[in-house]
Structure formats: C-alpha cells, structure tokens
C-alpha cells in the first residue's frame, strides 16, 4: 500500500507518490493527493507545488489495476471510479498556484493524465510517456483525451492513444507534451530551480495568467479576451504590480508578496 508524502520548504510543496516500484495510485492515494493539493492552495506559505514519484523507475504508472479490475462489467462502478479520479485531476488542473510534474522513469496511463494537469512537466532524458489503455480494450477517460489532445493536437494524440506505444522524453518535448527534458542526473536540481523561479514570481499575476490561458483554450474569442482584461484590471491595483514597476525603474530585483485571490 502506497502513500503520498508531502514536504514543504521555503514556499515550495513537494508531493511524492510513494508506492514503489511503479508508483501506481489507488483510490485512497488519489483522494490524499487531491486533499494535499487543496491544502497547499489554501496555505499562504506555499507558492508552488511539485509532484514526483518516489525512486527513479516510475513517476506514476497509472491506476492500480487490481482496483480497476473491480469495475469491469459494471458501468455504475466505472462511473464512480472515474468521478473519484476527476476530483484529483480537476483540483490539480484548476489550481490557482503554479504546479510542476517532475518525471523520472515512466508516466503511463493515469500517471500521464496526472502529469498533464500540471502547468509544467520536466522530465529526465530517459523518461517515457504513454497512454497504453487501448491494449486492454480501454482508453484514457480521466481527462487524457482532452488535455493531451490540447497539448499535441489530434494527429499525435491518436498516435499515443490508438496505438498505445510510449514515446521518450525527446519526442515528448518535440511534440509539445512536456516543457523540459534534462539529463537524468540533473532532474532534481532543474526541478528545484524551476520551482524556485515560480515560487519567487508574482503569485497573483500567475493566477490570472493561468485563468486567461485556460479561457483561451475553452471559451470563444470575445470571452477569452474579456477574461484577460478582467485579470489585468485586478492586477492594476495589486501591491505586486506597484512593487514590480518600482523595482524595474530602480533597476532592482522585485520582491513579490501578494498571495492568490480566493475563489
């Protein structure tokens, strides 16, 4: 039985999926991770969240297959299973603070669906990504059909989902599935540097920027532009913008202190 282990240091929360060797996540772990994400979002001392897998073999190899087997033959149990997963995926995708998936080894099935809910995926060069559900007569119904297609487009999404073959980090970077591919030995350091940069950034501006980008993907042109304008109006009266402009004028590095707005 695995666990989610959370460590918070200097404004950065790291949630480790700890179920070696493959780090498959069961229902309890998904609920725990969703709860920790919500707690980090409410915690004014947390400004960025990193999700990683324990060990080097796997970030997350998806859902626990023994648990999944109990849903076979029952549409109702399958619905309950998917709705429980949605709580995690949606809480992560809609998080108001920056999120990073740090991928070492495998990110497969529900593990990849989890990773693409984050703002950034940074991976070691030997990492592999895949949605192999088609090989057992299923497909990624936890948001992968939406979020992966948004990232790579329908042609490449069909390659991933309809053939079920994994791709390496270099190919994932080329396709636009991940943000960064780094040498395996530098993954921890590069993840920490990215998290530090985001944690030191203007939390309020990052929140409204995330909202504007989401609107650009989901809404029509007029609504997306209005969402961007609404965010700009909120930032116009923020302490961080005033501090940022003053620091730029003085040729100094800005220190941002605003927290995200509650919703």
């Amino acid at each position: 039985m695995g666990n989610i282990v959370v460590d918070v240091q200097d404004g950065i929360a790291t949630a480790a999926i700890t179920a070696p060797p493959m780090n498959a996540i069961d229902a309890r772990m998904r609920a725990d991770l969703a709860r920790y994400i919500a707690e980090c979002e409410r915690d004014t001392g947390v400004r960025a969240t990193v999700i990683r897998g324990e060990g080097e073999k796997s970030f997350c190899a998806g859902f626990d297959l023994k648990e999944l087997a109990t849903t076979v033959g029952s549409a109702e149990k399958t619905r309950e299973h998917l709705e429980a997963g949605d709580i995690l995926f949606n809480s992560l995708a809609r998080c108001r603070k920056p999120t990073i998936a740090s991928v070492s080894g495998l990110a497969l099935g529900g593990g990849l669906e989890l990773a693409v809910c984050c703002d950034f995926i940074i991976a070691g060069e030997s990492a592999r990504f895949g949605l192999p559900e088609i090989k057992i007569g299923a497909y990624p119904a936890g948001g992968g059909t939406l979020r992966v297609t948004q990232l790579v487009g329908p042609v490449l999404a069909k390659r991933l989902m309809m053939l079920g073959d994994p791709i390496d980090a270099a190919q994932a970077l080329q396709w636009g599935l991940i943000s960064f591919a780094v040498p395996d030995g530098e993954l921890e350091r590069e993840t920490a540097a990215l998290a530090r940069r985001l944690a030191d950034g203007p939390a309020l501006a990052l929140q409204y920027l995330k909202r504007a980008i989401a609107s650009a993907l989901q809404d029509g042109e007029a609504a997306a532009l209005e969402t961007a304008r609404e965010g700009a109006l909120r930032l116009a009266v923020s302490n961080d913008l005033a501090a940022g402009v003053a620091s730029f004028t003085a040729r100094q590095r800005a220190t941002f202190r605003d927290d995200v707005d509650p919703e």
Side-chain angles (χ1 to χ4, degrees):
M1 183 177 293
N3 293 289
I4 305 297
V5 179
V6 178
D7 177 60
V8 179
Q9 293 188 29
D10 198 18
I12 300 170
T14 300
I17 301 169
T18 308
M22 301 307 291
N23 292 326
I25 50 176
D26 59 22
R28 180 186 55 80
M29 293 172 68
R30 294 195 296 276
D32 285 346
L33 184 52
R35 184 174 69 255
Y36 290 139
I37 291 167
E39 290 174 358
C40 290
E41 192 171 20
R42 291 191 299 267
D43 187 345
T44 58
V46 173
R47 297 178 68 89
T49 298
V50 176
I51 299 175
R52 66 175 183 84
E54 188 66 28
E56 299 179 357
K57 187 171 184 178
S58 179
F59 166 75
C60 176
F63 292 167
D64 187 324
L65 284 180
K66 292 181 180 178
E67 182 181 273
L68 186 61
T70 65
T71 69
V72 175
S74 172
E76 185 58 33
K77 288 183 179 180
T78 299
R79 179 184 295 278
E80 292 174 359
H81 176 80
L82 291 172
E83 288 177 348
D86 284 346
I87 296 173
L88 169 58
F89 295 139
N90 291 337
S91 66
L92 184 56
R94 297 168 184 170
C95 184
R96 291 168 290 160
K97 298 179 181 181
T99 56
I100 302 168
S102 181
V103 178
S104 178
L106 301 173
L108 302 176
L112 180 53
E113 289 183 300
L114 177 68
V116 296
C117 290
C118 294
D119 298 312
F120 295 89
I121 300 176
I122 181 170
E125 58 190 355
S126 66
R128 293 178 69 79
F129 303 84
L131 294 167
E133 289 90 337
I134 198 69
K135 295 183 178 181
I136 62 168
Y139 64 83
T145 53
L146 170 67
R147 297 185 179 104
V148 171
T149 302
Q150 286 178 333
L151 289 172
V152 305
V155 172
L156 296 178
K158 288 177 181 178
R159 279 182 59 178
L160 275 175
M161 298 181 210
M162 296 179 73
L163 300 179
D165 298 328
I167 60 174
D168 60 23
Q171 195 167 16
L173 181 64
Q174 182 181 26
W175 285 13
L177 183 64
I178 69 175
S179 308
F180 304 98
V182 301
D184 291 336
E186 297 180 14
L187 178 60
E188 185 176 351
R189 181 178 63 82
E190 292 293 339
T191 298
L194 176 59
R196 179 77 273 145
R197 183 172 180 180
L198 292 168
D200 288 344
L204 196 63
L206 289 168
Q207 174 189 3
Y208 282 99
L209 174 58
K210 288 181 64 169
R211 181 182 294 178
I213 292 172
S215 181
L217 290 172
Q218 300 165 6
D219 303 326
E221 180 178 313
L225 291 173
E226 182 58 28
T227 297
R229 292 189 192 99
E230 289 174 357
L233 294 176
R234 172 63 183 92
L235 296 177
V237 296
S238 68
N239 294 322
D240 275 357
L241 180 59
V245 171
S247 296
F248 180 81
T249 302
R251 297 184 178 180
Q252 298 175 345
R253 182 179 178 181
T255 299
F256 300 112
R257 303 188 185 281
D258 283 340
D259 193 22
V260 295
D261 277 340
E263 294 181 337

mmCIF file of all heavy atoms in Angstrom, residues 2 5 193 202 252:
data_model
loop_
_atom_site.group_PDB
_atom_site.id
_atom_site.type_symbol
_atom_site.label_atom_id
_atom_site.label_comp_id
_atom_site.label_asym_id
_atom_site.label_seq_id
_atom_site.Cartn_x
_atom_site.Cartn_y
_atom_site.Cartn_z
ATOM 1 N N GLY A 2 0.588 2.154 -0.901
ATOM 2 C CA GLY A 2 1.417 3.336 -1.036
ATOM 3 C C GLY A 2 0.875 4.528 -0.271
ATOM 4 O O GLY A 2 -0.197 4.486 0.338
ATOM 5 N N VAL A 5 3.509 11.489 0.245
ATOM 6 C CA VAL A 5 4.339 12.127 1.266
ATOM 7 C C VAL A 5 4.608 13.559 0.833
ATOM 8 O O VAL A 5 5.162 13.796 -0.255
ATOM 9 C CB VAL A 5 5.663 11.370 1.466
ATOM 10 C CG1 VAL A 5 6.519 12.063 2.521
ATOM 11 C CG2 VAL A 5 5.388 9.920 1.866
ATOM 12 N N ALA A 193 15.122 24.398 -9.367
ATOM 13 C CA ALA A 193 15.343 25.731 -9.912
ATOM 14 C C ALA A 193 14.062 26.291 -10.538
ATOM 15 O O ALA A 193 13.739 27.476 -10.374
ATOM 16 C CB ALA A 193 16.469 25.692 -10.951
ATOM 17 N N PRO A 202 5.324 36.568 -9.188
ATOM 18 C CA PRO A 202 4.120 37.245 -8.687
ATOM 19 C C PRO A 202 2.927 36.301 -8.697
ATOM 20 O O PRO A 202 2.345 36.021 -9.754
ATOM 21 C CB PRO A 202 3.939 38.400 -9.673
ATOM 22 C CG PRO A 202 4.555 37.905 -10.948
ATOM 23 C CD PRO A 202 5.678 37.000 -10.556
ATOM 24 N N GLN A 252 16.276 47.238 -9.816
ATOM 25 C CA GLN A 252 16.448 46.276 -8.737
ATOM 26 C C GLN A 252 15.546 45.071 -8.978
ATOM 27 O O GLN A 252 14.563 45.152 -9.722
ATOM 28 C CB GLN A 252 16.103 46.924 -7.388
ATOM 29 C CG GLN A 252 16.995 48.093 -7.008
ATOM 30 C CD GLN A 252 16.535 48.766 -5.725
ATOM 31 O OE1 GLN A 252 15.418 48.552 -5.268
ATOM 32 N NE2 GLN A 252 17.405 49.589 -5.145
#
